[in-house]
Amino acid sequence: MNAMTKSASDLRRAARDHIRTPRLETPFHERLMALSEVNDWYDWAGYKAPHSLFDAELEYFAIRSTAALFDISPMVKYRITGPDAERYLNRLTLRDVRKLAVNRVHYTAWCDDHGHVLDDGTLFRLGEQEFRLCCQERHLPWLLDSAFGFTVDLHEETEEIAGLALQGPTSYAVLRDAGFAGVERLKPFDIAAFPHDGGEVTISRTGFTGDLGYELFLPRAKALSLWDRLWTAGQPHAIRAIGYGALNQTRIETGFIVANADFVTAEAALRSDRVRMPDEIGLDWLVDPDKPNFNGRRAILDARRNGTLKHILVGLEIEGNVPAEHAIVYYRKKHEAGLVTAAIWSPTAKRNIAIASLERPYGSKFTEDLWVEIYALRELKYQKLMKRAKIVPRPFVKLARRTATPPGLR
């Protein structure tokens, strides 16, 4: 009895200590804190991260009009090395890693044995048998279990490696003026190493905004000197630091999805009907059925062959200008068809857009006469709005400068 009482007491104390424990600070926190005017922070994987720094709307326009700096250090990062690294990752992920050249990046996802998506992310090939896997959630136990039988070394380097996203039409000009000679040769999804402060910074032409942009990774100790180098070079180009609110708007315009927002990861799902296969969240194009066996292959191909896929992720254009975030989607105004997972009024597209998860056959067989039920707060009273929606292709916004090589000068 005493042992049980002590155990319960220890649990309560641990819970209190967890609440008291401050969120971790990223290597760039000192600079972000100095720029923050609104004290608008949120928790990103245990780190204190800005939702906005001064004004989310103006931060959005910094991405689309000038250059924006976003701290991506909390993104979970794994270093995977060893003689079986390629073979291991080919077994783990959906795409054929053998086709990924050194100094290239590709977007990918990985599933459990039932074909349900565990997460999506980017895979950087830094050498013949040296990779960095970046993702939203922590997966070290799963990655270690999946490594059984392979000669690989797995190491989480989230704490050790600082990351910055530099996005927007003047992002190349900032890097050029900061002295990163040769960065103009980077094509989309290329990687290269550049000297910085007695060491190296890895720059990839990647991002989450659908705009011209780059991601920079380097050891934590050199983080602030990189920030200052970019910030100084960026002043003539109207550089701004931004938070997630602005980034989220641009990723919706580009039609990108976010784990545990647009779909529930297999490890996070509490109910069996919440999990999704790649084809159910628009990731069917990642699946390479011609490569050697990979996690979930049989289940994914069986679902395709047997027609048992239950959901579909679609882009919607909605009448009016009230964002339909978390609105219910209906067919003929009465049959519940699904849920909007992300929505905004797009300043660039000048359209009311959304990403929605629908239950088949809605969105596949029945694509017309769709409606969304929006509750708009007007002077302390909710007004129900039924607005017509139509399925449209993603991305909602497509910018030529994202892929232009060399980038245009601004």
Side-chain angles (χ1 to χ4, degrees):
M1 185 67 175
N2 289 338
M4 291 178 63
T5 304
K6 183 178 180 181
S7 176
S9 176
D10 289 342
L11 288 173
R12 286 193 295 272
R13 187 179 300 110
R16 289 195 302 270
D17 291 343
H18 173 72
I19 293 171
R20 293 193 189 107
T21 301
R23 285 172 288 185
L24 298 171
E25 295 180 355
T26 77
F28 301 106
H29 182 75
E30 181 180 334
R31 298 293 184 268
L32 293 170
M33 195 68 184
L35 292 169
S36 176
E37 297 179 8
V38 293
N39 200 31
D40 183 12
W41 305 88
Y42 75 104
D43 185 286
W44 179 6
Y47 286 85
K48 188 176 183 179
H51 186 267
S52 64
L53 289 164
F54 57 100
D55 182 278
E57 184 175 357
L58 294 178
E59 290 171 37
Y60 164 86
F61 283 108
I63 301 172
R64 290 291 184 239
S65 303
T66 58
L69 268 181
F70 179 68
D71 183 2
I72 56 173
S73 300
M75 183 167 56
V76 181
K77 300 175 282 288
Y78 296 103
R79 181 64 67 98
I80 302 168
T81 59
D84 287 340
E86 178 187 86
R87 196 164 63 92
Y88 161 70
L89 286 164
N90 218 27
R91 176 69 170 78
L92 180 78
T93 64
L94 298 177
R95 298 183 74 174
D96 195 337
V97 181
R98 299 171 302 180
K99 298 177 182 178
L100 181 63
V102 174
N103 291 327
R104 290 283 291 169
V105 188
H106 73 199
Y107 173 62
T108 191
W110 48 102
C111 301
D112 62 18
D113 291 338
H114 302 289
H116 299 137
V117 178
L118 286 160
D119 209 346
D120 63 339
T122 45
L123 182 64
F124 294 68
R125 188 162 199 164
L126 306 175
E128 285 295 334
Q129 296 294 349
E130 184 178 1
F131 298 84
R132 173 178 291 139
L133 182 64
C134 297
C135 52
Q136 177 77 5
E137 306 293 330
R138 285 188 164 82
H139 298 284
L140 191 57
W142 175 266
L143 295 178
L144 290 171
D145 288 346
S146 300
F148 183 78
F150 295 96
T151 305
V152 292
D153 180 65
L154 293 164
H155 171 65
E156 182 177 347
E157 56 181 11
T158 307
E159 274 283 298
E160 303 162 17
I161 301 297
L164 275 178
L166 176 63
Q167 305 284 302
T170 67
S171 57
Y172 160 65
V174 173
L175 291 176
R176 177 200 61 198
D177 293 353
F180 291 106
V183 74
E184 71 277 1
R185 293 192 291 270
L186 289 181
K187 299 176 182 178
F189 300 100
D190 274 353
I191 314 168
F194 296 84
H196 172 71
D197 193 14
E200 280 189 343
V201 55
T202 299
I203 302 180
S204 60
R205 190 167 167 184
T206 50
F208 204 51
T209 64
D211 217 310
L212 174 64
Y214 303 84
E215 292 177 325
L216 300 86
F217 299 92
L218 79 171
R220 183 184 184 100
K222 306 289 186 179
L224 292 182
S225 63
L226 175 64
W227 179 284
D228 294 341
R229 181 177 177 179
L230 296 174
W231 197 253
T232 300
Q235 293 311 302
H237 305 289
I239 194 170
R240 287 281 197 172
I242 65 164
Y244 180 72
L247 184 81
N248 189 52
Q249 290 184 68
T250 57
R251 75 90 182 171
I252 295 171
E253 289 180 330
T254 310
F256 292 154
I257 60 175
V258 173
N260 292 321
D262 299 294
F263 71 97
V264 180
T265 62
E267 286 187 314
L270 299 178
R271 299 171 178 84
S272 60
D273 64 341
R274 301 300 195 266
V275 293
R276 297 291 187 267
M277 287 185 160
D279 295 38
E280 296 177 314
I281 55 174
L283 301 185
D284 49 299
W285 62 278
L286 295 180
V287 179
D288 190 339
D290 297 324
K291 75 169 190 171
N293 190 38
F294 55 90
N295 289 359
R297 181 182 188 276
R298 178 179 295 179
I300 293 168
L301 299 185
D302 283 351
R304 289 179 176 181
R305 183 173 52 254
N306 299 329
T308 56
L309 294 164
K310 298 179 181 178
H311 303 89
I312 186 170
L313 200 74
V314 300
L316 294 178
E317 182 176 342
I318 300 165
E319 67 175 340
N321 61 3
V322 180
E325 189 171 12
H326 299 144
I328 296 176
V329 182
Y330 289 92
Y331 173 64
R332 294 182 176 176
K333 292 189 177 181
K334 57 183 179 180
H335 301 289
E336 191 170 321
L339 182 72
V340 169
T341 60
I344 60 165
W345 166 261
S346 167
T348 299
K350 301 295 188 293
R351 294 188 290 165
N352 197 13
I353 59 175
I355 299 171
S357 178
L358 305 183
E359 295 183 19
R360 295 173 188 259
Y362 306 114
S364 54
K365 182 179 178 181
F366 303 127
T367 58
E368 304 292 333
D369 208 0
L370 295 175
W371 298 77
V372 294
E373 182 182 51
I374 304 171
Y375 285 85
L377 185 60
R378 305 278 173 80
E379 296 182 342
L380 300 181
K381 186 175 182 179
Y382 277 103
Q383 179 181 353
K384 178 181 173 180
L385 307 173
M386 289 297 289
K387 296 292 184 179
R388 188 178 292 275
K390 64 177 179 178
I391 295 175
V392 296
R394 293 178 291 149
F396 303 102
V397 171
K398 191 171 184 179
L399 302 170
R401 62 180 178 247
R402 178 176 181 246
T403 55
T405 306
L409 298 178
R410 289 289 297 268

